[in-house]
């Protein structure tokens, strides 16, 4: 199999690699470039663990061939922090609100939420749930992940502890939740 030269701008740094034509972007990032923050879960594009930003848009790196990313900008979880290493508002919010447990799904959530809040800095609860719907977590039950998105929106907006108007302060509803606890 012939290797293909790819040039990617990963987290602001131009990187080059020689990869087989069928090499997935996730494998290129992890094995060829040594950026192991991008996790691979299902390898079918279902779980969202491998989500990175390709030219600012969330993509499943386990479904994207590295060759198709040639010449494009990639942002991985390693590139979300500021140049001085200070956590981004999304990373800070996930830490503050305990939006992770085992952490395996966290890189995909962080990339997804970064794009979500860039495009919609004050999403409704339904928009948050829709935005997160492509990422799976087996640990948290999503309550703290949704709280993390709320907090990140506050941080981005420069607000203190109060959330955007319309955010409920009680339990987070998820699809299929009847609201009849204990009934």
């Amino acid at each position: 199999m012939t290797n293909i030269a790819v040039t990617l701008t990963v987290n602001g740094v131009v990187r080059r690699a020689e990869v087989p034509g069928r090499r997935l972007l996730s494998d290129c990032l992890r094995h060829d470039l040594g950026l192991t923050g991008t996790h691979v879960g299902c390898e079918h594009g279902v779980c969202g663990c491998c989500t990175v930003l390709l030219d600012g848009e969330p993509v499943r790196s386990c479904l994207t061939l590295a060759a198709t990313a040639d010449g494009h900008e990639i942002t991985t979880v390693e590139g979300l922090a500021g140049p001085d290493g200070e956590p981004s508002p999304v990373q800070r919010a996930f830490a503050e609100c305990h939006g992770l447990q085992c952490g395996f799904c966290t890189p995909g959530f962080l990339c997804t939420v970064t794009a979500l809040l860039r495009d919609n800095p004050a999403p409704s609860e339904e928009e948050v749930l829709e935005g997160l719907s492509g990422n799976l977590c087996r640990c948290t039950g999503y309550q703290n992940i949704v709280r993390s998105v709320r907090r990140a929106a506050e941080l981005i907006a420069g607000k203190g502890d109060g959330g955007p108007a319309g955010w409920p302060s009680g339990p987070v509803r998820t699809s299929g939740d009847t609201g009849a606890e204990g009934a």
Side-chain angles (χ1 to χ4, degrees), residues 49-138:
C49 289
C50 68
T51 302
V52 298
L53 303 178
L54 176 65
D55 294 333
E57 296 302 317
V59 298
R60 303 292 199 254
S61 64
C62 77
L63 296 179
T64 306
L65 293 174
T68 64
D70 184 37
H72 292 274
E73 289 190 31
I74 310 291
T75 303
T76 68
V77 69
E78 292 96 339
L80 295 179
D84 59 354
E86 178 152 341
S88 72
V90 174
Q91 290 171 309
R92 181 177 154 199
F94 268 69
E96 286 178 12
C97 298
H98 308 287
L100 59 113
Q101 284 185 22
C102 81
F104 194 81
C105 64
T106 304
F109 272 107
L110 293 173
C111 289
T112 297
V113 172
T114 297
L116 170 70
L117 293 178
R118 179 203 61 220
D119 295 343
N120 185 356
S124 68
E125 188 165 354
E126 273 97 33
E127 290 168 327
V128 169
L129 294 174
E130 177 64 29
L132 297 176
S133 67
N135 293 73
L136 301 177
C137 175
R138 296 177 186 215

Side-chain angles (χ1 to χ4, degrees), residues 164-179:
W167 280 103
S169 59
V172 176
R173 295 231 182 257
T174 58
S175 60
D177 188 355
T178 64

